[in-house]
Amino acid sequence: MYPTNIKPSLLACSIALTLTPAAYAAQELTALEEVVVSATRTEQAVKDVSSSVASVSSQSMESQLATDPQQALKYTPGVEVQGHGRFGISDYNIRGTEGDKIKVMVDGVEQASPYNPGATEQRHYPGTVEVDSLTAIEVNKGPSSTLYGSDALGGAVLFKTKDPSDVLVTDGNENRFGIKSGYTSADETFKNTATWAMRQDDLETLLIVTYADGSETETHGSGADVAGGERGAADPADKKIGNLLGKVYYRLNDNHRIGLVAEYYQRRYDEQELHYDGYSIMMPGSGMPMITYADNYNKDNVSRLRVGVNHEWTMSNVMADSLKWSLNYQQSDSEYKNYDTSTGMMGSGKRMRYRDAGDDLIQFDAQFDKLAEFANSYHQFTYGLTYIHDQFALDNTDYKYDLGTVTPGSTGVPDATLQKWGLFLQDQAFFLDETLVLTAGVRYDGFRTDPEADEQFDTDYPSNSEDAITGKLGAVYHISNHFSTFAQISQGFKAPSVEDLYYYYNQGAIFNPNPDLKAEKSLAYELGFRGYSDVGRFEISAFYNDYTDFIDGYNTGEQQDGKDVYTTENIANAEIYGIEFSSTVNLDAAFNAPRGLYSKFSVAYAEGRDKDKDVHLDSVAPLTGVVGIGYDSLNRNYGGLVNVTMVASKDDWSDETVEAVSGYTLVDLTAYYRPINDLTLRAGLFNAFDKKYWLYSDMESGYSTASRDFYSQPGRNWGVSLDYQF
């Protein structure tokens, strides 16, 4: 656990790294331009954005030797990527808001909402993203429904896949190839990615193929390698990941460009659930086991297929300068085969529980952009529409081999058709010679959920439909060429999910559906200050997010057949507030240090409370700081970076029986060597001092069927990669 002076120490580092370059900023230096899209749906310099947006480029992912989004975003303040083991990445946490309250998109296409029925044999998560196919990850912090509609209650995570222009290095006809191979010791994974990009006159193509073969991600080396509840080592597994991304663009003429995209991701995971061997469910009051499990193993197949067409039209008329529209079909499928042998009074011998969850989604988007100039200002208007049709389906079947039976497995929720539609309008206006930037946006959304009864869920329930209007208002004022202040008020909402509306359970207690739920809502305030120059840049922001109509379960006080009755209501209200700081300083310019030396620093602090129950929000991360010192040679032939991550303890749980999670400090080292322009060798040593630690999100609900060590993170581990582009 950290000593009580951790906060002043972190803030002292922040002040030291900020004020020094600020003194140099008065020199004649040009601003560092970083461009993002997620904040306004159009390319904008970060300095003109009225909210905090985090961006991780493909170059940064490669430098970190990141093999998945969790590793790619691990140094991003205020952002946590959650999930591990068999089910992989489960969801994204932005400033304490997580799960289906965060919108996840790939090239603007909505990803599957997290589905977790509670049992250990099934999940359905938006984790089907391969980082080697990405050019950037952008995180829009705070409510973003005015831009992206439902589910952006607490923010949005946007994955942008590579285009041919991200690989090609000239403006003329060209073929470009790439081969990247790597190994990571934490999961013993070999990974290979092949890339081909081509431009021939008006035709551009791209093909990226990735294949990875590995094992389970290890826990800390001190975990006991035994079967049963005392197991501390990870369950042994074989993991295979494949990804294909193909794109074709053709310019018909100066005004029209059409494109086709195909993307396929597959993750196979075969695991022996050794930690579950011998687990028993006891008979209430007797201490006798009703059922005991053994010989547990799983065969999982998670996949995502996307095909789409897009069109860019430069029209230059009174209504719009350009139109971009796209039509995408996406099929997300999570198939799990769960094998075990169950004995005892309620045992059925050898069996296989087949669990499959899928989304078949069709999404249409159209966006118009218009630049209008007036006497003393100009305005960037962005407006358009989105329509989404999603067919959510479950297929659960129980195969009891010793009994010779095949029966439908209860799904707990029905299959359903979900429809979402939205209209949006945004004006980004520049005044006073671009000194003042005002951004205003409004959006109308409608949504409807139609459940469908079948043999696995045989109760009919009515549809749920509602609409929502959200808005945002932001401002940026450039105090000088090197300093700006910004502020924003924004709204968000989340339509109730199929699970929220229709989940039914009747074992031990009764949980009744509530198809009349309303959307959850949020209102956020953010105020910040930025500095930027050749010396470096920094940003500090304070935020307050107010959440209302949270969907939560509660005890009705009634009983049915001797069982307590529960249901869901829009009853919970919450608040999350905090402060974040990030900086990059070129130490050679600031302190006359050796040329190429630089530093990075970030810190994120947040507090959250359930205002109805007056308890802490478990989803809010503890105080976290990252300090990095790096070096790049003059011609960038070699360099390295040392990152020190400091995380405070987490002991403010809503349930006081949950054990505190200790704070920790990690040291990561990465380096690269480029003997020729097209060949790069990278190596990394992670958790260099072999610290034993736990992520708070893995311990949020405590642990039951395995020891605490089972949830620990890897000890000292390493990775290497070789990247040849020609």
Side-chain angles (χ1 to χ4, degrees):
M1 183 178 296
Y2 279 122
T4 55
N5 65 350
I6 182 65
K7 294 181 184 179
S9 299
L10 287 173
L11 292 177
C13 293
S14 167
I15 293 170
L17 289 171
T18 304
L19 294 184
T20 303
Y24 286 84
Q27 303 175 34
E28 293 298 319
L29 301 170
T30 58
L32 297 174
E33 292 289 338
E34 182 182 2
V35 175
V36 294
V37 177
S38 61
T40 60
R41 297 184 70 109
T42 59
E43 289 190 353
Q44 294 289 333
V46 168
K47 66 185 182 67
D48 290 330
V49 173
S50 58
S51 62
S52 182
V53 177
S55 178
V56 180
S57 67
S58 58
Q59 292 81 6
S60 294
M61 298 180 221
E62 291 168 358
S63 297
Q64 295 169 199
L65 281 82
T67 59
D68 59 35
Q70 191 172 53
Q71 295 177 15
L73 291 167
K74 67 180 179 179
Y75 302 128
T76 304
V79 179
E80 302 282 336
V81 184
Q82 301 177 343
H84 69 285
R86 174 188 179 189
F87 298 111
I89 291 174
S90 58
D91 54 29
Y92 298 82
N93 182 308
I94 301 176
R95 292 176 171 174
T97 305
E98 62 187 12
D100 59 2
K101 298 174 177 60
I102 301 297
K103 186 93 166 185
V104 181
M105 291 170 285
V106 176
D107 291 340
V109 178
E110 177 178 300
Q111 300 302 290
S113 294
Y115 170 65
N116 179 356
T120 59
E121 67 264 19
Q122 183 177 28
R123 299 288 188 272
H124 190 48
Y125 288 145
T128 54
V129 177
E130 171 52 54
V131 295
D132 279 0
S133 69
L134 301 177
T135 186
I137 305 173
E138 291 187 19
V139 180
N140 211 13
K141 300 179 182 179
S144 307
S145 291
T146 305
L147 294 171
Y148 302 111
S150 176
D151 299 347
L153 184 81
V157 180
L158 288 79
F159 295 96
K160 175 66 172 64
T161 63
K162 292 178 180 177
D163 283 333
S165 58
D166 296 312
V167 178
L168 301 172
V169 296
T170 70
D171 294 329
N173 294 340
E174 179 187 3
N175 279 274
R176 188 78 173 169
F177 300 90
I179 299 174
K180 178 183 176 184
S181 297
Y183 175 80
T184 52
S185 70
D187 55 3
E188 297 180 334
T189 293
F190 288 94
K191 184 177 182 181
N192 296 281
T193 297
T195 302
W196 170 61
M198 182 272 290
R199 181 188 297 115
Q200 183 64 43
D201 299 328
D202 294 320
L203 177 68
E204 291 183 350
T205 61
L206 173 71
L207 180 65
I208 302 177
V209 180
T210 299
Y211 178 75
D213 190 342
S215 305
E216 73 281 359
T217 299
E218 64 183 21
T219 59
H220 194 272
S222 62
D225 189 4
V226 298
E230 296 302 314
R231 183 173 183 81
D235 288 332
D238 291 323
K239 174 177 62 178
K240 291 179 172 59
I241 296 175
N243 190 82
L244 182 148
L245 174 68
K247 292 187 177 182
V248 177
Y249 293 100
Y250 185 72
R251 182 168 295 281
L252 299 173
N253 52 46
D254 290 342
N255 297 326
H256 295 276
R257 183 177 186 245
I258 58 173
L260 299 173
V261 59
E263 183 183 20
Y264 182 70
Y265 175 98
Q266 183 181 52
R267 180 180 189 261
R268 292 184 178 273
Y269 199 84
D270 297 345
E271 177 190 63
Q272 288 182 276
E273 266 189 305
L274 294 182
H275 82 278
Y276 211 66
D277 275 1
Y279 175 72
S280 296
I281 298 176
M282 311 305 290
M283 182 180 296
S286 70
M288 298 289 291
M290 291 190 300
I291 186 169
T292 300
Y293 299 98
D295 303 323
N296 305 278
Y297 65 97
N298 315 297
K299 292 182 177 294
D300 305 338
N301 184 13
V302 176
S303 63
R304 177 174 63 90
L305 169 68
R306 173 171 65 106
V307 292
V309 58
N310 56 76
H311 176 210
E312 298 179 18
W313 180 6
T314 303
M315 52 184 63
S316 301
N317 59 38
V318 68
M319 294 298 297
D321 297 326
S322 65
L323 163 64
K324 296 179 181 179
W325 67 263
S326 62
L327 178 65
N328 285 273
Y329 169 76
Q330 180 174 267
Q331 182 183 68
S332 303
D333 189 73
S334 302
E335 178 190 71
Y336 301 99
K337 296 179 180 179
N338 305 268
Y339 299 85
D340 64 30
T341 299
S342 59
T343 58
M345 296 173 56
M346 297 180 62
S348 57
K350 293 183 179 180
R351 65 174 180 170
M352 190 270 282
R353 290 170 292 171
Y354 178 86
R355 301 292 183 262
D356 185 83
D359 284 275
D360 280 1
L361 177 143
I362 298 174
Q363 179 172 328
F364 175 79
D365 294 280
Q367 177 175 314
F368 298 84
D369 291 284
K370 178 64 181 179
L371 181 64
E373 297 188 44
F374 298 93
N376 298 312
S377 65
Y378 66 90
H379 299 250
Q380 178 68 51
F381 292 103
T382 302
Y383 61 98
L385 59 93
T386 297
Y387 175 76
I388 297 173
H389 181 281
D390 184 12
Q391 187 69 43
F392 174 73
L394 297 171
D395 180 11
N396 292 2
T397 306
D398 294 336
Y399 297 83
K400 298 180 180 179
Y401 300 122
D402 288 348
L403 299 180
T405 62
V406 180
T407 57
S410 174
T411 60
V413 297
D415 296 349
T417 300
L418 300 90
Q419 297 181 77
K420 303 175 185 178
W421 54 93
L423 301 170
F424 59 89
L425 170 64
Q426 179 181 260
D427 176 20
Q428 187 174 39
F430 296 79
F431 299 93
L432 305 176
D433 293 328
E434 302 185 29
T435 300
L436 177 63
V437 184
L438 298 180
T439 304
V442 64
R443 179 174 175 128
Y444 167 80
D445 282 280
F447 53 89
R448 179 183 177 89
T449 303
D450 295 302
E452 303 165 12
D454 57 23
E455 62 178 352
Q456 298 175 354
F457 192 95
D458 57 7
T459 305
D460 287 312
Y461 285 100
S463 301
N464 176 277
S465 62
E466 197 182 346
D467 55 13
I469 296 177
T470 54
K472 74 169 184 178
L473 181 63
V476 177
Y477 182 69
H478 298 297
I479 301 171
S480 69
N481 289 334
H482 305 291
F483 297 103
S484 302
T485 185
F486 63 92
Q488 181 169 282
I489 302 173
S490 59
Q491 294 177 301
F493 83 97
K494 185 192 83 67
S497 67
V498 177
E499 188 175 0
D500 292 333
L501 293 165
Y502 304 113
Y503 177 71
Y504 175 73
Y505 177 80
N506 65 353
Q507 302 295 317
I510 295 176
F511 202 104
N512 285 324
N514 180 1
D516 297 322
L517 292 171
K518 297 180 179 180
E520 300 172 290
K521 303 176 183 66
S522 62
L523 178 63
Y525 306 87
E526 185 171 13
L527 179 65
F529 184 68
R530 297 187 181 110
Y532 31 83
S533 73
D534 281 348
V535 170
R537 61 187 174 196
F538 70 90
E539 177 180 294
I540 185 168
S541 63
F543 60 89
Y544 176 84
N545 298 344
D546 188 55
Y547 299 92
T548 58
D549 290 334
F550 262 20
I551 296 171
D552 201 0
Y554 81 103
N555 191 328
T556 65
E558 303 173 355
Q559 283 205 334
Q560 183 177 333
D561 298 329
K563 302 175 182 178
D564 291 336
V565 177
Y566 296 81
T567 190
T568 51
E569 286 286 355
N570 295 98
I571 56 175
N573 298 287
E575 62 180 3
I576 301 175
Y577 53 89
I579 188 168
E580 293 173 0
F581 174 86
S582 63
S583 71
T584 299
V585 179
N586 297 324
L587 298 176
D588 50 1
F591 299 107
N592 290 322
R595 191 167 183 180
L597 198 65
Y598 64 92
S599 70
K600 291 177 175 289
F601 178 79
S602 67
V603 62
Y605 170 76
E607 290 285 349
R609 297 194 67 80
D610 181 325
K611 294 193 290 186
D612 294 332
K613 299 177 182 177
D614 193 28
V615 296
H616 292 282
L617 289 180
D618 295 340
S619 59
V620 176
L623 174 69
T624 301
V626 180
V627 178
I629 300 293
Y631 173 77
D632 290 315
S633 65
L634 181 61
N635 51 11
R636 293 188 176 270
N637 284 347
Y638 60 90
L641 176 65
V642 178
N643 274 319
V644 180
T645 302
M646 298 168 286
V647 180
S649 61
K650 173 78 171 180
D651 54 12
D652 49 359
W653 300 104
S654 60
D655 182 353
E656 295 181 356
T657 65
V658 176
E659 189 175 345
V661 180
S662 299
Y664 54 87
T665 298
L666 302 178
V667 178
D668 298 333
L669 302 92
T670 57
Y672 70 91
Y673 174 59
R674 189 173 290 117
I676 58 176
N677 285 337
D678 295 330
L679 179 65
T680 305
L681 173 65
R682 294 185 175 89
L685 180 65
F686 307 100
N687 192 3
F689 293 101
D690 200 28
K691 175 69 176 177
K692 187 175 184 178
Y693 70 104
W694 292 261
L695 301 179
Y696 82 95
S697 55
D698 290 340
M699 312 302 293
E700 189 171 330
S701 300
Y703 47 94
S704 55
T705 59
S707 73
R708 187 179 178 91
D709 284 354
F710 185 77
Y711 298 92
S712 64
Q713 292 296 301
R716 185 185 298 112
N717 64 95
W718 54 273
V720 293
S721 73
L722 185 65
D723 190 0
Y724 183 41
Q725 305 289 325
F726 58 96

